[in-house]
């Protein structure tokens, strides 16, 4: 049986994501700065932006991240998102499939992605509350290359119908990991991850994280808007994307895979994320906005411009590949610098190079 309240919630998420936009917290990348290299000794043909995640090679380091699905009314939206990803060779993650596998409905809103993008890198998406069998069904639905397990406690607390009991999540997630036939990504949905919890997940066997920091699409604010048209204190809760990326870097070694997401909207910000040791960059709200307001061609153009700008920044920092960005000097200002001091990070060491 189709859950009409769930279907309406998915439509509301699109509506309010477009209406509210990013923030109110900044993503923190404005406090990260490159030094100009006036002798880069590179030509544009030398720039390589391919990357690898968990053994999966991406021709471009961008992911159209989880944003929608789970209702037949968004079949066309997911079709257009897949068309956009295909046009530039980006990976794509669908929105939560948890409700769909629970009710055995609305599969079509997800399956259309694989139909449009048969050779693409597609990530399934499931709640941390799902059973291993439900997670496997989500993967099967898309013939997915990897599985996102999403964590969204702040969003759940704002939703009147949301979950309140988060006990046993890590144990349940580990059960999914142990039985999954594809790589598993732990994904926050906009409040970030601290080093302490990433360490817990590393100890449990997880090696791939989408840090989902604050500064982009704000689901607590969206949920508050859905029910009360008021603000919630949780709209300003969480770690900014730049902060949580540094947290992840501090505990992950070079074999771990980090996707940076949270308000990354241009090639310069993406370059900063790669410099802070991201392996790929995820975006959702801005791509959805282009598609809903201006169409697929506008979304494709925006992504193409981001790729071009990333290449220019790499040339102007003397970096022929993405990993080289990790070992060039940076400097930090403002609130991000205060955060680094407050968390007792070695700022000179981080500034000098982040290669592992």
């Amino acid at each position: 049986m189709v859950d009409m309240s769930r279907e309406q919630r998915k439509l509301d998420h699109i509506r309010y994501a477009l209406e509210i936009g990013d923030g109110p917290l900044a993503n923190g990348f404005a406090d990260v700065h490159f030094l100009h290299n006036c002798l880069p000794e590179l030509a544009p043909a030398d720039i390589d932006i391919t990357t690898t995640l968990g053994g999966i090679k991406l021709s471009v380091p961008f992911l159209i991240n989880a944003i929608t699905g789970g209702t037949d009314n968004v079949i066309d939206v997911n079709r257009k998102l897949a068309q956009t990803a295909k046009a530039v060779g980006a990976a794509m993650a669908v929105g939560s499939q948890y409700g769909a596998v629970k009710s055995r409905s609305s599969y079509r809103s997800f399956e259309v992605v694989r139909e449009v993008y048969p050779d693409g890198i597609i990530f399934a998406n499931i709640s941390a509350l799902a059973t291993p069998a439900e997670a496997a069904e989500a993967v099967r639905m898309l013939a997915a290359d990897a599985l996102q397990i999403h964590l969204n406690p702040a969003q759940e607390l704002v939703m009147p119908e949301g979950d309140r009991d988060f006990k046993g999540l890590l144990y349940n997630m580990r059960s999914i990991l142990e039985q999954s036939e594809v790589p598993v990504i732990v994904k926050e949905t906009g409040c970030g991850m601290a080093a302490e919890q990433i360490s817990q997940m590393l100890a449990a066997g997880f090696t791939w994280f989408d840090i989902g920091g604050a500064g982009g699409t704000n689901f607590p604010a969206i949920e508050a808007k859905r029910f009360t048209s008021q603000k919630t204190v949780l709209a300003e809760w969480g770690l900014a994307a730049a902060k949580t990326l540094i947290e992840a870097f501090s505990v992950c070694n070079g074999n771990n895979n980090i996707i940076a997401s949270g308000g990354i909207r241009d090639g310069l910000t993406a370059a900063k994320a790669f410099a802070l040791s991201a392996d790929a960059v995820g975006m959702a709200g801005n791509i959805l906005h282009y598609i809903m307001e201006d169409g697929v061609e506008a979304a494709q153009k925006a992504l193409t411009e981001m790729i071009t700008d990333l290449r220019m920044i790499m040339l102007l920092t003397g970096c022929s590949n993405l990993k080289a960005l990790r070992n060039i000097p940076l400097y930090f200002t403002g609130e991000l610098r205060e955060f680094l001091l407050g968390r007792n990070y070695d700022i000179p060491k981080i500034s000098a190079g982040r290669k592992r």
Side-chain angles (χ1 to χ4, degrees), residues 7-284:
E7 294 231 335
Q8 185 58 51
R9 182 167 73 246
K10 299 299 182 180
L11 294 174
D12 287 345
H13 285 170
I14 295 174
R15 173 188 173 189
Y16 291 121
L18 295 173
E19 181 179 315
I20 294 172
D22 293 339
L25 290 180
N27 62 27
F29 286 105
D31 287 331
V32 181
H33 306 275
F34 290 115
L35 297 178
H36 172 57
N37 183 342
C38 64
L39 291 171
E41 293 289 344
L42 288 173
D46 299 325
I47 305 298
D48 178 10
I49 63 168
T50 61
T51 190
T52 301
L53 287 169
I56 300 172
K57 187 171 182 178
L58 306 181
S59 58
V60 298
F62 294 102
L63 162 70
I64 296 181
N65 221 340
I67 187 67
T68 190
T71 167
D72 290 342
N73 292 311
V74 299
I75 291 173
D76 191 53
V77 176
N78 267 352
R79 177 183 292 110
K80 290 176 179 177
L81 288 168
Q83 289 170 345
T84 301
K86 182 179 180 180
V88 300
M92 179 179 169
V94 298
S96 176
Q97 296 165 267
Y98 187 51
V101 298
K102 280 288 187 186
S103 64
R104 295 280 173 169
S105 65
S106 301
Y107 278 29
R108 180 66 182 153
S109 67
F110 299 108
E111 292 170 336
V112 67
V113 172
R114 180 55 78 187
E115 291 178 11
V116 170
Y117 200 4
D119 299 322
I121 303 300
I122 307 295
F123 299 159
N125 183 302
I126 201 75
S127 167
L129 297 170
T131 67
E134 289 165 345
E137 177 68 5
V139 170
R140 186 208 61 76
M141 194 187 305
L142 294 163
D145 299 277
L147 170 68
Q148 291 181 335
I149 300 177
H150 67 258
L151 297 171
N152 63 337
Q155 178 186 2
E156 295 287 349
L157 290 174
V158 177
M159 295 165 57
E161 77 275 39
D163 296 305
R164 299 292 184 270
D165 185 353
F166 306 109
K167 291 181 179 179
L169 278 186
L170 187 57
Y171 177 85
N172 194 65
M173 291 161 58
R174 187 171 181 178
S175 297
I176 295 173
L177 175 66
E178 290 173 345
Q179 297 183 46
S180 178
E181 295 183 357
V182 297
V184 174
I185 309 159
V186 183
K187 171 182 171 52
E188 235 290 346
T189 60
C191 291
M193 297 178 178
E196 290 81 356
Q197 285 71 56
I198 296 174
S199 294
Q200 285 181 268
M201 291 185 282
L202 285 168
F206 293 94
T207 59
W208 191 343
F209 305 96
D210 182 337
I211 50 93
T217 303
N218 190 319
F219 281 102
I222 288 171
E223 299 297 353
K225 191 77 170 178
R226 283 180 58 223
F227 289 99
T228 65
S229 295
Q230 299 296 320
K231 294 182 179 180
T232 171
V233 66
L234 296 186
E236 298 188 39
W237 179 262
L239 284 168
K243 295 176 182 176
T244 192
L245 187 49
I246 291 170
E247 294 278 296
F249 160 74
S250 73
V251 293
C252 291
N253 60 45
N255 295 322
N256 299 118
N257 304 288
I258 302 173
I259 299 171
S261 58
I264 297 172
R265 304 301 186 228
D266 56 64
L268 174 59
T269 308
K272 292 177 180 181
F274 292 121
L276 292 178
S277 298
D279 295 288
V281 166
M283 297 166 289

